[in-house]
Amino acid sequence: QVQLVESGGGLVQAGGSLRLSCAASGGIFSTYVMGWFRQAPGKEREFVAAINWNGSRYVNSVKGRFTISRDNAENTVFLQMNSLKPEDTAVYYCVVDSALGYPSTSSSEYEYWGQGTQVTVSS
């Protein structure tokens, strides 16, 4: 049974940085696509970034500010978030899928989800 545990969320001022971590267990994650979605109050869930063995993908609004990376030895995916803006405020969810061959932006294609971690950016 795959389990995902996120950490690193919190409250930060605009322009600040946070680093989210997601520790995975219960699978062979070096070949899996891992990524992050977010959901702000009153809004739909949104793709943020994803990574596989061949590359990564980002939503346009975070390009140049966020960086996704992974440590396969530790089964962990990270999201380094710099130059944070109030509109980045959301619950951030770690996602994993064992069957995808590419970093999909569709939430319906990810089988496993973490419990979410709150990120709040004050202005």
Side-chain angles (χ1 to χ4, degrees):
Q1 180 72 15
V2 172
Q3 291 188 321
L4 305 174
V5 179
E6 300 116 330
S7 60
L11 173 64
V12 64
Q13 289 188 332
S17 299
L18 284 174
R19 189 191 195 207
L20 304 184
S21 300
C22 174
S25 61
I28 305 173
F29 295 93
S30 60
T31 61
Y32 295 178
V33 175
M34 304 181 78
W36 296 88
F37 282 75
R38 65 186 179 186
Q39 188 165 20
K43 295 188 177 182
E44 293 188 354
R45 194 165 291 183
E46 176 189 39
F47 169 80
V48 177
I51 187 169
N52 71 346
W53 63 272
N54 196 35
S56 57
R57 192 171 184 180
Y58 299 88
V59 67
N60 285 339
S61 61
V62 308
K63 284 182 180 178
R65 301 188 298 123
F66 291 11
T67 302
I68 189 170
S69 62
R70 63 193 291 167
D71 182 338
N72 289 331
E74 297 295 328
N75 290 338
T76 302
V77 62
F78 305 97
L79 186 67
Q80 178 66 45
M81 306 185 293
N82 298 329
S83 302
L84 282 161
K85 304 175 181 180
E87 51 264 43
D88 294 318
T89 295
V91 177
Y92 283 69
Y93 297 91
C94 175
V95 295
V96 167
D97 195 90
S98 60
L100 283 173
Y102 63 98
S104 173
T105 62
S106 173
S107 61
S108 63
E109 294 195 287
Y110 287 90
E111 182 175 5
Y112 301 105
W113 291 72
Q115 79 286 356
T117 185
Q118 177 70 46
V119 171
T120 303
V121 184
S122 63
S123 57

